[in-house]
Amino acid sequence: MKPLLEVKGLNSWYGESHVLHGVDMTVREGEMITILGRNGVGKSTTLRTIVGILRERKGQILFDGKDMMTVPLHRTAHAGIGFVPEERGIFATLTVEENLMLPPVVAKGGLSLEEIYGLFPNLAERRTSPGTKLSGGEQQMLAMARILRTGVKMLLLDEPTEGLAPVIVQRIGEVLKKLKERGMTVLLVEQNFRFASKIADRFYLMDHGQMVADFPVSELPDQMPMLHKVLGV
Ligand SMILES: Nc1ncnc2c1ncn2[C@@H]1O[C@H](COP(=O)(O)OP(=O)(O)OP(=O)(O)O)[C@@H](O)[C@H]1O
Ligand SMILES: [Mg+2]
């Protein structure tokens, strides 16, 4: 499969604070990639820098052949990248369906409302409920569903399972597997190692603002001693 996202020598800063120190990463079309790493190593910052929330950045980000360094944040979805941040960003006063309809459809290939409700039956049941009434798991599913309607080619997810009950985590895993079958490319930041090892094709291990290792899921048993050392898992 050809590379969809190519990141080279990516550096970024929060003001004076230099957080990414030359991130190199390639994601091929249809791959499901998980970024692992301890707290504070720059996982979320990597996603925020790729989509352009952090504008103080240097290096190369090519997506689908397009130079993302020149793409403003509000055009990221049009370029084909959808980002679900850790805080999810559900509008509390809008209903589930209003939240779903909010982002513009940017390309063909997005899921219809019907397909979304098929994939997330609990959102269908709650279509008229306001955002405030949703559980954490429902909010996470809504945040993902909302992006899937837009037709983006790649999904960036920041810790989608954080704080959720095991049964909901499993449900999100099933949804991600179905998305993979549809050809979606996914870059996932995940601390839930068990969850990640069930769905990822390949891992990147991050430390001190850099990718320090990458390996396919088949090498996971061999990599465990190194992961133990770096992650403490
Ligand atoms: N808005 C911000 N302003 C300044 N520094 C920040 C900001 N957000 C994060 N940082 C700092 O940047 C570094 C990387 O943070 P980041 O959130 O990317 O880590 P992370 O790997 O996602 O960690 P976690 O596992 O806790 O989510 C940390 O030292 C953090 O304190
Ligand atoms: Mg984070």
Side-chain angles (χ1 to χ4, degrees):
M1 281 291 193
K2 65 173 181 162
L4 184 61
L5 175 71
E6 287 178 280
V7 175
K8 279 187 196 148
L10 191 63
N11 284 259
S12 69
W13 292 260
Y14 294 101
E16 298 277 283
S17 177
H18 188 178
V19 175
L20 295 192
H21 295 269
V23 167
D24 295 320
M25 184 170 55
T26 303
V27 182
R28 289 183 282 274
E29 221 167 287
E31 267 193 314
M32 195 159 293
I33 301 289
T34 298
I35 302 176
L36 303 168
R38 286 174 301 114
N39 290 120
V41 295
K43 304 182 298 297
S44 299
T45 303
T46 299
L47 302 190
R48 289 186 206 126
T49 307
I50 290 170
V51 296
I53 294 171
L54 253 79
R55 301 305 299 185
E56 285 185 76
R57 54 183 185 168
K58 274 196 184 128
Q60 181 188 301
I61 307 168
L62 281 180
F63 180 77
D64 211 8
K66 183 180 282 172
D67 178 8
M68 294 300 292
M69 296 298 275
T70 62
V71 174
L73 177 59
H74 71 275
R75 298 294 297 179
T76 309
H78 290 83
I81 302 181
F83 176 45
V84 181
E86 214 171 347
E87 57 278 11
R88 297 165 188 152
I90 301 304
F91 289 92
T93 57
L94 301 184
T95 66
V96 164
E97 192 147 308
E98 286 165 346
N99 267 283
L100 279 175
M101 298 305 283
L102 208 60
V105 172
V106 294
K108 286 186 202 151
L111 273 63
S112 65
L113 264 189
E114 208 169 276
E115 288 173 311
I116 284 174
Y117 287 140
L119 201 54
F120 302 95
N122 36 346
L123 292 183
E125 282 165 28
R126 313 221 56 186
R127 62 209 290 166
T128 58
S129 303
T132 41
K133 291 282 196 286
L134 302 180
S135 69
E138 287 165 341
Q139 286 184 28
Q140 181 60 45
M141 289 180 195
L142 178 54
M144 287 170 64
R146 188 167 62 177
I147 303 282
L148 293 172
R149 209 183 65 86
T150 62
V152 293
K153 284 192 172 175
M154 182 170 182
L155 207 52
L156 270 47
L157 301 172
D158 197 354
E159 303 207 32
T161 68
E162 194 188 13
L164 303 183
V167 56
I168 310 291
V169 171
Q170 195 185 341
R171 184 79 195 90
I172 288 175
E174 285 160 13
V175 167
L176 287 175
K177 278 184 190 153
K178 283 189 188 153
L179 291 177
K180 188 177 159 56
E181 284 163 18
R182 294 180 60 110
M184 179 64 82
T185 308
V186 179
L187 179 59
L188 176 79
V189 168
E190 189 53 66
Q191 304 252 25
N192 184 336
F193 184 70
R194 270 177 57 89
F195 172 79
S197 57
K198 279 187 200 143
I199 58 164
D201 298 314
R202 203 153 57 84
F203 296 92
Y204 274 96
L205 178 63
M206 193 164 192
D207 206 11
H208 297 104
Q210 290 180 327
M211 298 301 169
V212 294
D214 82 278
F215 54 88
V217 66
S218 58
E219 285 176 21
L220 197 55
D222 295 338
Q223 299 285 351
M224 279 317 285
M226 188 267 299
L227 287 178
H228 272 297
K229 214 166 90 185
V230 178
L231 297 174
V233 292

